[in-house]
Amino acid sequence: QVQLVESGGGLVQAGGSLRLSCAASGRTFSTLSMGWFRQAPGKEREFAAGISRGGDSTSYADAVKGRFTISRDNAKNTVYLQMNSLKPEDTAIYYCAARTASSTGYPYWGQGTQVTVSS
């Protein structure tokens, strides 16, 4: 079983930056592809960014492309989401998720961390 624990959320002014972290345990981290998702109030959860097991491939939702950067440190079992030029519409609960090569979708989820961007 994979456990994921996010940290780094908080309140920031528009235009500011935050870095989210997600620490994984329970499985060899380098066997997991990782993703960040977010859920704004009254909206469905949506994909924000993803990174491959080795970190050589990343993908982003159009809404965050050019402002957010996903990265990972396999030695520290941690994935990061650097968020720059934050906008009020980025306000959401941000979730870390993991999947293996044989997974359908992302079966493993963290508890989420709140990000609030004030205008």
Side-chain angles (χ1 to χ4, degrees):
Q1 190 72 4
V2 176
Q3 293 81 43
L4 303 172
V5 179
E6 302 98 333
S7 61
L11 174 64
V12 64
Q13 289 188 331
S17 298
L18 281 175
R19 188 176 82 155
L20 305 182
S21 300
C22 172
S25 61
R27 187 182 178 101
T28 302
F29 188 61
S30 59
T31 67
L32 300 171
S33 296
M34 303 297 296
W36 285 98
F37 291 73
R38 64 185 186 180
Q39 186 167 19
K43 295 187 177 181
E44 294 188 352
R45 189 178 299 184
E46 64 178 10
F47 171 81
I51 189 166
S52 60
R53 293 185 296 274
D56 55 320
S57 177
T58 58
S59 59
Y60 298 93
D62 288 343
V64 308
K65 198 172 295 182
R67 299 187 298 120
F68 290 10
T69 302
I70 188 171
S71 62
R72 65 189 295 159
D73 186 338
N74 285 355
K76 295 184 178 180
N77 295 344
T78 301
V79 62
Y80 305 97
L81 186 66
Q82 178 67 44
M83 305 185 295
N84 298 329
S85 302
L86 283 161
K87 306 175 181 179
E89 51 263 43
D90 294 317
T91 295
I93 300 174
Y94 283 72
Y95 297 91
C96 174
R99 64 182 180 184
T100 68
S102 61
S103 295
T104 299
Y106 286 85
Y108 307 109
W109 292 83
Q111 82 288 350
T113 186
Q114 177 71 47
V115 172
T116 302
V117 184
S118 63
S119 56

